[in-house]
């Protein structure tokens, strides 16, 4: 039975006390009270902005939303990694359909703040729209606005401008806190309008800081956390707050810092990225306990993993270095990994579970941290091109289970069981007496073994190598009781006259289900594969999984009784089954690749969604339904034996539109800045002598760090006026600091002096250091030295040294050491064999793009002049044909246009592929319709395919592609092959709005 909100409030004494139930650390808070008071019952209905007030409390088992138990089954998605707001709805709807009830998001400070005091939430940065879309989709939101977020983004989310400010970040430094408060004020002004507690939206939980272990042991840490807590509360945020401890450390448990007297509204969470090659760790009820015991470090709050690895990020470099490509992350953390690790988490009582990432997306522009390349696919269940991968199956099966079978929200550890060859966890629900067993195989061979259940049954089952299985006994299947099933329940629901229960497993397995039936039922196999036998008060059903799709067995006894429809599915089949509640009753849809919406209007079931291949359609629903529409079109149906509506013909799949070849290129070289006579008089004079950077300013020389002059992202140019006799000059030393993959090129009096690049890091070094190096460029080859010089040349005492630095991004600051403040750009310049005087000017990106944001472009000549923008007139450029094999050092641009005409109602996902001989040292910045969609480094990799998000990509219209090619002069350079590729296609999709892309 579920308590109504009114009953719950009466029990609790007042609505407000809903928060304090179970006591998350307030002195005297009654720990077990709520556990006794809140029995097992249906989960709350999915959230939407319903205008009602709601309470969000907890006990040690789970969150309590309006007094109902909620298992949070969440996936991480970063709106800033999907720069096309209409696609947010696409991914959110995919998550909802596949069993998630929550989305967790970071909000990146740097993405929204081009300058101190300026906060931009427009266009692709529209947080309000994202939160509205999440609530419309029926997903709760876990909001994580930092101020520090890590997340493999530039400076861990700190704005570029913050790298040049005084005061230690992630501390109580007043300058830093002043900036932080401004940011939180801006974010909270929006979030306040979307809190679930007010019925204004679906924001459920709110995280402060991120994996903060900087000052745990000294007063600074607690004071900083306290400041953030109180600031967020002062801004009107009243949902529970939490932090994600970097590991199972017990940092920031309730009571560890001052919350201004407020108790019960703080949750303890910890992150977990365990190695997929080791047995899954017990981080909760089966763990070792004590402060170091993960969830058990905070026994009064529910087990909460704000981030649990769902894949992993991939570093720059080919396989010989660290970067292996995201196929490898998806292979090492595959569907079986998810079952093993996430079922272990559930067994350990972790009922708030967020998978980082569920959709990784694209770290476009200059947003990626130096450790990662453009794609942040992460090997996630939904890939960067928005395709659902086979990794969605365990998420779908567990997600629907946790929302539809309430027994799982309140499990206690039960008597240990031993199952030979397997790790066994045994849990029970104290209210329903259902028993849950997680049986895990950590070995490399399949194990067949016997489980003796609490009811005394011997259940033989097989667990594949490196996999796990969930077995449940004593579960109510509507009006009947399950004795056991070797396959995992995915849902139990009531559709019309029928109780419906679905069981899932791996393809080819035989499911064995035993149902308690005191009197002999009338059983019908609706599909030939199933078999059944009635024996001594129980019905045995066996069904091979996946043979011919879904297997249906109907169990009834007498006309008046509620029939039970048993469904059996393998993973692929389960992904085509979508339960959905509507105000008229529950609808179950079988067939399409995706169900987006279900509505019952009179006798009509109106469905929208996606098909990929041709597919059948079957719909169970409330009594009285007689017809079905799919994406607005009527579907001819017949009525089946289980009273479902079955389409008479398959619905069509999606066409696979072939993108056009890219031709008609135009080409132009740039870097006029290298010429001695270039007019740099409008550039910024670099003459500062002090800096807040952590990099030391060289004695007696000016600060050359780009951030100190307001240039925070992308390439930066320097021009030094060098005065003095250079006749004995041997070399120029250029010290610079960039992050991995940085490089520089230098010219003296317009002549190429040479280039230098940071070494390609390997998997071990990728996260270390600031990537600083000194380029020692010999002048021996220069005209200045080689030729017999005239008297005039000898006496010329003024020279120009031009340097282009491809600065990668700022380091993150995971250790709270201000590592984001390491300099970027040139750090020091010296001359061997001569001692001229040098004075400097610097130029980076001009005013930030007001639509595409400050991280869209850097300071290349072409970027400053708008060569990347769709409206730029390139008619005067020379025509060019790819592939190319050019020589020399510098910057060359290529532009072309192409037209797509994808039919309305087709969601085509398109990528740009670049390929060339990997020995060629060049890199390409990719601009689509002016948007900087990534960096390709031909001789580093591993990324060759760049997702072009629809919306920025005009799928029905003209597009402009611009490529800025940097070649370091050490080899021939391209581009080589540049082509478009279809990465996915579905019939259906979401309405697509074009992302504003100003032409000039
Ligand atoms: C954890 C961070 O919280 C998250 O922002 C992201 O960086 C993630 O790791 C890795 O992708 S940090 C944890 C691995 C110590």
């Amino acid at each position: 039975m579920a308590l109504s909100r009114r009953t719950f409030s009466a029990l609790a004494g007042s609505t407000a006390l809903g928060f304090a139930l179970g006591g998350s650390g307030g002195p005297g808070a009654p720990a077990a009270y709520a556990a006794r008071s809140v029995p097992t019952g249906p989960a709350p209905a999915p959230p939407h902005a319903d205008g009602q007030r709601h309470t969000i409390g907890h006990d040690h088992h789970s969150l309590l939303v309006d007094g109902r138990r909620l298992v949070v089954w969440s996936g991480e998605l970063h709106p800033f990694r999907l720069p096309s707001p209409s696609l947010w709805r696409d991914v959110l709807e995919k998550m909802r359909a596949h069993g998630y009830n929550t989305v967790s998001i970071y909000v990146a400070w740097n993405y929204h703040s081009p300058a101190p005091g300026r906060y931009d939430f427009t266009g692709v940065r529209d947080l309000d729209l994202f939160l509205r879309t999440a609530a419309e989709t029926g997903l709760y939101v876990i909001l994580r606005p930092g101020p520090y977020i890590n997340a493999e983004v530039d400076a861990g989310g700190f704005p570029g401008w913050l790298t040049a400010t005084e005061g230690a970040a992630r501390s109580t430094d007043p300058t830093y806190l002043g900036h932080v408060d401004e940011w939180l004020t801006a974010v909270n002004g929006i979030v306040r309008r979307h809190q679930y507690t007010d019925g204004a939206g679906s924001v459920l939980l709110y995280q402060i800081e991120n994996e903060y272990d900087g000052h745990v042991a000294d007063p600074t840490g607690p004071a900083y956390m306290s400041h953030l807590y109180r600031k967020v509360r002062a801004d009107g945020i009243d949902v529970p707050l939490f932090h994600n401890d970097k590991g199972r450390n017990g940092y920031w448990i309730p009571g560890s810092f001052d919350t201004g007297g407020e108790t019960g509204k703080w949750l303890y969470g910890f992150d977990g990225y365990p190695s997929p090659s080791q047995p899954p760790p017990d981080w909760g009820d089966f763990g070792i306990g004590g402060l170091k015991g993960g969830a058990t470090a905070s026994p009064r709050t529910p087990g909460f993993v704000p981030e649990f690895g769902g894949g992993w990020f991939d570093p720059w470099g080919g396989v010989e270095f660290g970067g292996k490509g995201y196929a490898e992350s998806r292979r090492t953390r595959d569907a079986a990994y998810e079952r093993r690790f996430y079922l272990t988490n559930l067994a350990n009582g972790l009922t708030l579970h967020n998978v980082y990432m569920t959709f990784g997306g694209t770290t476009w522009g200059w947003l990626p941290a130096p450790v990662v390349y453009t794609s942040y696919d992460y090997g996630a269940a939904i890939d960067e091109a928005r395709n659902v991968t086979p990794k969605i199956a365990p998420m779908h099966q567990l997600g629907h289970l946790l929302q539809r079978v309430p027994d799982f929200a309140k499990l206690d550890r039960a008597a240990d069981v031993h199952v030979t060859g397997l790790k066994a966890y045994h849990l029970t629900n104290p209210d329903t007496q259902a028993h849950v067993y997680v049986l895990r195989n950590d070995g490399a061979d399949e194990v067949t073994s016997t489980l003796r259940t609490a009811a005394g049954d011997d259940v033989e089952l097989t667990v594949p190598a490196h996999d796990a299985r969930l077995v449940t006994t004593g579960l109510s299947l509507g009006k009947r009781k399950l004795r056991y099933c070797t396959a995992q329940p995915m849902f139990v629901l009531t559709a019309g006259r029928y109780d419906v229960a679905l069981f899932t497993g791996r393809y080819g397995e035989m499911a064995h289900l035993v149902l308690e039936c005191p009197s002999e039922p009338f059983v019908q196999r609706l599909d030939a594969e199933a078999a059944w036998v009635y024996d001594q008060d129980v019905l045995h059903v066996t069904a091979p999984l996946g043979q011919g799709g879904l297997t249906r067995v109907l169990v009834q006894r007498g006309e008046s009784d509620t029939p039970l429809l048993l469904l059996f599915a393998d993973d692929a089949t389960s992904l085509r089954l979508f339960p959905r509640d509507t105000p008229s009753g529950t609808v179950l849809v079988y067939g399409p690749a995706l169900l987006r919406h279900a509505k019952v209007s009179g006798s009509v079931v109106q469905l929208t969604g996606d098909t990929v291949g041709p597919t059948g359609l079957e719909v169970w629903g409330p009594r009285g339904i007689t017809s079905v529409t799919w994406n607005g079109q009527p579907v001819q149906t017949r009525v089946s034996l289980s009273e479902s509506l079955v389409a008479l013909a398959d619905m069509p799949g999606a066409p696979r539109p072939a993108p056009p070849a890219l031709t008609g290129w135009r080409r132009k070289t740039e870097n006029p800045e290298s010429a001695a006579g270039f007019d740099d008089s409008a550039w910024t004079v670099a003459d500062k002598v002090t800096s807040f950077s952590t990099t030391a300013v060289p004695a007696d020389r000016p600060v050359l760090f780009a951030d100190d002059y307001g240039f925070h992202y992308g390439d930066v140019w320097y021009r030094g006026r060098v005065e003095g006799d250079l006749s004995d000059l041997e070399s120029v030393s250029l010290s610079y600091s960039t992050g991995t993959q940085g490089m520089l090129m230098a010219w003296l009096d317009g002549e190429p002096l040479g280039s230098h690049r940071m070494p390609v890091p390997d998997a071990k070094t990728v996260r270390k250091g600031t990537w600083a190096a000194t380029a020692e460029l010999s002048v021996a080859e220069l005209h200045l030295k080689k030729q017999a010089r005239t008297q005039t040349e000898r006496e010329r005492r003024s020279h120009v040294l031009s340097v282009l630095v491809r600065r990668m991004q700022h380091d993150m600051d995971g250790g709270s050491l201000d590592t984001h403040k390491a300099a970027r750009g040139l750090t020091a310049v010296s001359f061997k064999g001569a001692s001229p005087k040098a004075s400097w000017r610097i130029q980076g990106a001009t005013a930030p793009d007001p639509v595409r944001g400050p991280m869209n472009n850097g300071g290349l000549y072409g970027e400053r002049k708008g060569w990347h923008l769709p409206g730029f007139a390139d008619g005067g450029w020379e025509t060019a044909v790819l592939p190319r094999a050019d020589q020399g050092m510098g910057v060359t641009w290529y532009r072309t246009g192409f037209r797509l005409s994808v039919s309305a109602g087709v969601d085509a996902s398109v990528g740009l592929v670049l390929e060339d001989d990997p020995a060629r040292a060049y890199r390409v910045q990719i601009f689509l319709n002016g948007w900087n969609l990534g960096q390709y480094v031909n001789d580093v990799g591993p990324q060759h395919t760049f997702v072009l998000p629809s919306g920025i990509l005009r799928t029905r219209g003209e597009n402009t592609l611009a490529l800025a090619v940097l070649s370091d002069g050490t080899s021939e350079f391209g581009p080589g092959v540049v082509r478009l590729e279809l990465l996915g296609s579905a019939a259906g999709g979401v309405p697509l709005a074009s992302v504003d892309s100003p032409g000039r």
Side-chain angles (χ1 to χ4, degrees):
M1 181 205 77
L3 293 179
S4 71
R5 192 175 147 253
R6 191 173 302 130
T7 327
F8 173 70
S9 302
L11 270 176
S14 83
T15 316
L17 253 177
F19 292 115
L21 282 179
S24 62
Y33 177 61
R36 279 196 301 271
S37 308
V38 183
T40 298
H48 65 282
D50 60 6
Q52 308 288 308
R53 284 203 62 83
H54 299 278
T55 61
I56 308 169
H58 67 267
D59 62 11
H60 73 280
H61 282 116
S62 72
L63 276 194
L64 297 167
V65 169
D66 298 333
R68 291 168 175 242
R69 295 197 175 281
L70 176 74
V71 179
V72 172
W73 190 247
S74 173
E76 183 86 9
L77 170 169
H78 297 149
F80 51 84
R81 285 187 158 115
L82 185 54
S84 178
S86 35
L87 300 184
W88 295 339
R89 188 181 298 277
D90 176 57
V91 179
L92 293 172
E93 287 182 350
K94 284 172 177 158
M95 288 175 63
R96 169 87 198 277
H98 289 302
Y100 294 83
N101 58 12
T102 305
V103 58
S104 168
I105 65 167
Y106 276 135
V107 192
W109 183 359
N110 54 7
Y111 198 67
H112 296 274
S113 183
R118 283 178 52 201
Y119 294 95
D120 182 350
F121 290 91
T122 64
V124 297
R125 296 166 294 273
D126 192 343
L127 178 63
D128 189 82
L129 175 60
F130 182 89
L131 295 177
R132 236 165 38 228
T133 308
E136 285 166 10
T137 309
L139 292 171
Y140 294 106
V141 176
I142 299 176
L143 196 100
R144 313 197 299 149
Y148 182 75
I149 63 168
N150 210 64
E152 289 76 67
V153 294
D154 187 293
F158 284 145
W161 57 261
L162 193 80
T163 67
T165 56
E166 191 174 6
R170 311 187 75 186
S171 80
T172 49
D173 177 90
T175 311
Y176 168 71
L177 288 185
H179 294 308
V180 163
D181 286 355
E182 254 185 35
W183 162 239
L184 291 176
T185 301
V187 178
N188 293 340
I190 294 167
V191 176
R192 205 170 42 221
R193 304 198 295 264
H194 298 273
Q195 300 191 83
Y196 188 60
T197 41
D198 305 335
S202 61
V203 174
L204 181 75
L205 301 171
Y206 183 119
Q207 177 184 313
I208 55 173
E209 253 286 348
N210 190 85
E211 297 198 330
Y212 180 58
D213 63 356
H215 297 277
V216 191
D218 62 65
T220 300
Y224 174 47
M225 291 295 279
S226 179
H227 177 94
L228 296 176
Y229 186 102
R230 288 157 178 249
K231 166 64 180 154
V232 171
R233 286 286 182 246
D235 285 345
I237 304 300
D238 67 357
V239 301
L241 307 185
F242 71 97
H243 177 74
N244 59 337
D245 187 357
K246 195 175 248 170
R248 50 201 292 267
N249 304 303
Y251 298 155
W252 314 120
I253 56 173
S256 58
F257 66 93
D258 180 8
T259 52
E262 187 175 71
T263 56
K265 289 173 77 172
W266 175 255
L267 300 174
Y268 171 68
F270 64 95
D271 291 349
Y273 291 87
S275 160
S277 57
Q278 298 294 316
D282 290 322
W283 281 343
D285 298 339
F286 286 82
I288 52 167
L291 260 192
K292 282 266 172 191
T296 49
S298 178
R300 294 176 169 197
T301 57
F304 183 3
V305 273
E307 293 177 28
F308 196 90
W312 189 243
F313 66 82
D314 196 46
W316 286 101
V319 184
E320 65 274 29
F321 300 106
K324 295 180 174 161
Y326 283 111
E328 181 66 5
S329 303
R330 203 166 267 118
R331 190 185 68 77
T332 54
R333 289 177 177 82
D334 61 0
Y337 157 89
E338 296 178 309
R339 281 189 292 272
R340 278 172 82 215
F341 284 76
Y342 306 167
L343 283 173
T344 301
N345 290 345
L346 292 172
N348 273 279
L350 306 180
T351 60
L352 290 93
H353 195 271
N354 178 49
V355 174
Y356 188 107
M357 303 292 297
T358 285
F359 169 80
T362 307
T363 322
W364 61 281
W366 292 102
L367 186 59
V371 287
V372 289
Y373 49 89
T374 305
S375 173
Y376 198 70
D377 177 277
Y378 219 82
I382 303 175
D383 74 15
E384 189 187 1
R386 296 179 290 111
N387 297 301
V388 164
T389 73
K391 281 183 63 173
I392 206 79
M395 308 311 297
H396 179 89
Q397 293 162 6
L398 284 168
H400 286 296
L401 175 74
L402 296 170
Q403 292 176 65
R404 291 190 176 268
V405 180
D407 307 66
F408 284 87
K410 189 179 178 184
L411 291 176
D412 292 327
R413 186 173 175 167
D416 286 351
V417 292
H418 183 74
V419 183
T420 308
L422 298 173
K423 167 85 183 174
Y425 298 86
H426 179 201
L427 304 130
T428 185
N429 181 300
D431 305 325
T432 67
Q433 309 305 321
H435 288 257
V436 172
Y437 303 87
V438 171
L439 304 168
R440 199 179 72 217
N441 181 357
D442 291 328
D445 299 309
E446 177 180 286
V447 171
T448 298
S449 197
T450 303
L451 164 73
R452 163 69 55 95
T453 69
D457 292 309
D458 284 328
V459 182
E460 185 180 282
L461 31 80
T462 300
V463 183
H466 298 298
D467 209 326
R469 181 177 293 284
L470 181 74
V471 173
T472 314
T473 69
L475 198 67
S476 295
L477 305 184
K479 302 272 182 310
R480 291 181 174 78
K481 188 135 269 187
L482 175 73
R483 186 79 160 257
Y484 64 83
C485 182
T486 60
Q488 176 176 314
M490 180 170 127
F491 56 67
V492 181
L493 54 80
T494 301
R497 230 160 51 76
Y498 291 76
D499 290 330
V500 185
L502 170 64
F503 294 83
T504 65
R506 315 292 76 77
Y507 175 83
E509 285 176 1
M510 181 66 78
H512 183 195
L513 178 145
V514 180
L515 192 68
E516 293 183 0
C517 294
S519 61
E520 185 165 0
F522 173 56
V523 183
Q524 283 164 292
R525 305 182 294 184
L526 306 185
D527 297 283
E529 296 81 11
W532 59 271
V533 56
Y534 181 73
D535 179 30
Q536 292 182 5
D537 296 354
V538 292
L539 174 73
H540 293 259
V541 179
T542 51
L545 301 180
Q547 315 288 317
L550 190 63
T551 303
R552 308 157 182 81
V553 176
L554 191 54
V555 182
Q556 37 194 338
R557 191 196 52 189
E559 284 296 294
S560 61
D561 204 12
T562 306
L564 171 65
L565 177 64
L566 295 170
L567 301 176
F568 298 91
D570 71 338
D571 292 324
T573 307
S574 75
L575 288 178
R576 297 165 58 208
L577 279 155
F578 302 98
R580 191 59 68 93
D581 295 330
T582 78
S584 319
T586 302
V587 171
L588 174 62
V589 177
Y590 171 50
L594 179 68
L595 177 74
R596 293 183 186 274
H597 300 282
K599 194 177 159 201
V600 178
S601 181
S603 61
V604 186
V605 185
Q606 298 167 341
L607 304 174
T608 63
D610 292 5
T611 61
V612 176
T615 176
L617 178 69
E618 178 168 8
V619 181
W620 291 266
R623 286 176 204 225
I625 59 164
T626 57
S627 58
V628 178
T629 63
W630 176 257
N631 290 340
Q633 299 300 311
V635 179
Q636 298 301 313
T637 56
R638 64 175 170 83
V639 180
S640 76
L641 270 180
S642 64
E643 294 175 34
S644 61
L645 300 175
V646 182
L648 296 180
D650 273 2
M651 302 191 296
R656 293 190 60 82
L662 295 172
T663 55
W665 292 96
R666 287 187 179 270
R667 168 180 194 272
K668 189 167 175 69
T669 55
E670 46 133 280
N671 56 275
E673 302 91 336
S674 62
F678 179 82
D679 178 9
D680 60 19
S681 58
W683 289 17
T684 305
V685 175
D687 60 356
K688 293 192 177 184
V689 291
T690 58
S691 169
F692 295 122
S693 167
T694 51
T695 304
V697 175
D700 306 325
R701 274 175 284 172
V703 174
L704 295 175
F705 316 156
D707 289 291
D708 285 278
Y709 299 98
F711 303 119
H712 305 301
Y713 305 109
D715 295 314
V716 59
W717 275 96
Y718 295 86
R719 282 172 56 88
R721 195 148 306 274
V722 180
E723 314 274 353
D725 184 358
L726 297 188
S727 1
D728 296 321
L729 179 67
E730 291 161 31
S731 65
V732 180
S733 299
L734 301 169
S735 298
Y736 71 124
S737 165
T738 60
T740 65
Q741 308 312 323
M743 67 172 292
L744 63 69
M745 308 184 213
W747 292 259
L748 189 57
D749 292 335
E751 260 195 280
L753 183 58
S755 63
H756 187 272
R757 63 193 289 181
M758 297 291 168
V760 178
D762 62 26
K764 290 201 179 61
T765 56
V766 67
R767 299 229 250 170
K768 304 233 170 67
T770 55
W771 299 96
T774 297
E776 186 85 33
L777 301 177
S778 163
V779 302
E781 294 300 310
L782 291 195
H783 180 262
L784 170 92
K785 299 289 290 186
K786 272 199 312 207
Q787 310 296 314
R789 281 163 293 143
T790 64
Q791 181 70 13
T792 347
E793 269 177 341
R794 247 198 309 275
E795 281 173 4
R796 202 177 87 199
R797 297 180 65 84
S798 182
H799 304 269
V800 177
L801 180 58
S802 304
V803 184
L804 171 62
V805 180
R806 162 122 316 168
R807 167 178 60 156
M808 300 297 280
Q809 298 85 329
H810 303 91
D811 288 325
M812 296 189 287
D813 187 30
S816 311
L817 299 167
D818 267 355
T819 42
H820 59 291
K821 289 186 177 173
R824 288 295 179 257
L826 286 181
T827 52
V829 179
S830 58
F831 301 87
K832 215 179 249 168
S835 34
K837 277 181 57 187
S839 56
W840 292 91
R841 284 181 187 264
I842 180 171
Q843 178 67 57
T846 45
D849 187 316
V851 171
R852 301 174 182 93
M855 295 158 126
N856 193 65
N857 37 263
L860 291 178
Y861 185 83
E863 291 173 291
R864 299 190 327 259
K865 301 291 176 195
W867 294 9
H868 59 300
L869 296 174
F872 179 77
D874 58 17
W877 292 15
E878 63 173 309
T879 59
V881 174
L882 301 186
R884 301 279 307 186
D886 292 317
Q887 307 272 353
M889 181 179 93
V891 185
T892 315
W893 285 71
Y894 289 83
R895 285 172 57 94
T896 191
F898 63 92
R899 160 170 270 282
L900 295 182
S901 44
V902 177
S903 324
V906 173
D907 177 4
S909 182
V910 177
L912 184 75
V913 180
L914 291 92
E915 286 156 343
D916 204 346
D917 174 354
R920 292 176 161 193
Y922 69 91
R923 53 190 72 199
V924 181
Q925 207 65 40
I926 299 163
F927 293 94
L928 175 71
N929 298 328
W931 292 81
N932 178 349
L933 294 183
Q935 180 171 192
Y936 171 75
V937 184
N938 182 64
D939 55 340
V940 174
Q943 185 174 6
H944 288 272
T945 302
F946 293 77
V947 172
L948 307 177
S950 301
I952 288 180
L953 180 72
R954 270 49 171 166
T955 54
R956 290 166 71 73
E958 289 295 337
N959 293 279
T960 303
L961 190 61
L963 307 177
V965 181
L966 262 65
S967 59
D968 68 10
T970 59
S971 70
E972 281 187 334
F973 68 97
V977 172
V978 180
R979 61 182 168 83
L980 298 169
E981 186 173 301
L982 185 69
L983 304 176
S985 179
V990 289
L992 190 63
S994 288
V995 176
D996 191 16
S997 299
R1000 44 187 68 248

